[in-house]
Amino acid sequence: MKDTVVQILNFFGWAWWVEVKTENPRCTYYFGPFANQQEAQEMSSGYVDDLKDEGAQGISVYIQRMKPDELTVFDELGETPDHERFPTLSGQLS
């Protein structure tokens, strides 16, 4: 019964998820769905411990209601988006 409730919450984007971001490697991981924030919080430490054991560094954890499109997002190039790399020019020539 609990699984059905969680799946309904997830369908509507009301389920709780653990989002874990790491700086090295540059990844975002999503763990869930969970029926409530407390359950997600309790489970998050295990996910962090697993990532530390794998050598991940710069770990940040966020618990929120959401519905991720992908469970793992890996930024293998570590590139900055173009709009952050190049300044906006006014169009005036000097």
Side-chain angles (χ1 to χ4, degrees), residues 1-80:
M1 174 77 170
K2 183 179 178 181
D3 289 335
T4 302
V5 171
V6 171
Q7 293 307 317
I8 291 169
L9 290 171
N10 193 49
F11 178 80
F12 289 106
W14 298 335
W16 291 89
W17 285 79
V18 178
E19 178 185 62
V20 180
K21 293 187 176 195
T22 59
E23 291 180 13
N24 189 16
R26 289 187 65 149
C27 291
T28 302
Y29 304 93
Y30 296 98
F31 302 97
F34 299 98
N36 59 61
Q37 186 178 17
Q38 180 180 351
E39 184 181 6
Q41 182 69 43
E42 290 170 359
M43 296 299 292
S44 67
S45 61
Y47 304 133
V48 170
D49 289 343
D50 288 347
L51 289 169
K52 284 181 181 177
D53 289 346
E54 293 176 12
Q57 298 174 340
I59 300 172
S60 301
V61 178
Y62 307 93
I63 297 174
Q64 56 194 338
R65 283 183 162 155
M66 61 180 309
K67 188 175 178 182
D69 294 327
E70 299 178 57
L71 298 181
T72 303
V73 180
F74 184 66
D75 182 5
E76 66 183 63
L77 299 177
E79 291 184 350
T80 305

Side-chain angles (χ1 to χ4, degrees), residues 81-89:
D82 286 344
H83 70 274
E84 293 179 18
R85 284 192 294 177
F86 301 110
T88 303
L89 302 175

